[in-house]
Amino acid sequence: MVAANHPTNQALWKQKAAAFVTRSHHHLWGKNNEDPLIFLFHQDLTNQFIKDIHLGWNKHSQKRTMGKWGLGVNNTATQNNEQPTSSFILPPGIVFPYIVKKELLSVWIQPMDPASPPFLVPGSTKRLIRLGNGNNPIKKINGLLNGLCLFQKNQGTLCVEIQT
């Protein structure tokens, strides 16, 4: 068995994750979007930066089936005599797709409470988030929103490594 957070079908996971990211991005720039845009504005993120890094908004929790996302069933639960996880929840919040060289590696959902930790969508890689040119000085920072804000202010001069 494959762990729930590791896609058994990487191509299917990327297809589903990319569709979710795209829908979320359209929701952020669609109707009734004042709350998430105000939230992002209070984080000192500009509209252009938000568009450039393809942030989105997941307004409501969404239940998704693991298999339909190319994810295996969690065998740890089976070993502990628990019901295997066959679904997961995409919680509401700001959607951050971690894209490197046009490849979607991870999807994070930041609740609209800056003190809350972000949620890593199952199937995402667990790599650190590194934004910017690796030839620039690297600044390590805690918190997704803090990292995005620092990167926005220092694009081209700093590589930001975000600990989530």
Side-chain angles (χ1 to χ4, degrees):
M1 267 296 150
V2 176
N5 280 347
H6 182 71
T8 55
N9 183 335
Q10 188 71 32
L12 180 58
W13 182 87
K14 285 184 181 185
Q15 177 188 15
K16 295 292 186 175
F20 171 69
V21 165
T22 300
R23 275 191 312 275
S24 299
H25 185 71
H26 290 302
H27 288 159
L28 181 61
W29 297 104
K31 295 180 181 179
N32 303 315
N33 61 355
E34 295 83 9
D35 290 341
L37 288 176
I38 289 169
F39 172 80
L40 292 168
F41 177 76
H42 285 152
Q43 305 309 309
D44 293 327
L45 298 177
T46 66
N47 284 348
Q48 190 59 54
F49 180 75
I50 293 165
K51 288 178 183 179
D52 290 346
I53 63 170
H54 210 69
L55 288 185
W57 176 43
N58 189 35
K59 185 175 183 176
H60 302 290
S61 290
Q62 301 176 30
K63 187 175 184 179
R64 295 291 180 253
T65 304
M66 298 286 260
K68 289 183 179 180
W69 272 60
L71 300 169
V73 176
N74 186 344
N75 69 343
T76 306
T78 306
Q79 292 171 358
N80 295 331
N81 295 323
E82 299 171 10
Q83 287 293 327
T85 305
S86 61
S87 64
F88 63 96
I89 301 290
L90 295 169
I94 302 299
V95 177
F96 168 69
Y98 181 45
I99 302 168
V100 176
K101 296 181 182 176
K102 298 185 180 182
E103 181 181 3
L104 179 61
L105 300 176
S106 301
V107 180
W108 298 85
I109 302 175
Q110 173 64 53
M112 287 180 33
D113 172 2
S116 296
F119 171 80
L120 180 63
V121 172
S124 297
T125 63
K126 291 190 177 184
R127 286 192 228 181
L128 293 173
I129 298 170
R130 184 175 279 178
L131 303 174
N133 185 336
N135 295 326
N136 290 331
I138 296 173
K139 171 71 175 171
K140 295 181 181 185
I141 190 162
N142 288 324
L144 181 59
L145 295 171
N146 293 336
L148 292 176
C149 188
L150 181 64
F151 180 65
Q152 174 186 258
K153 291 177 184 173
N154 296 282
Q155 285 185 65
T157 61
L158 192 64
C159 180
V160 178
E161 191 172 277
I162 303 172
Q163 310 280 333
T164 55

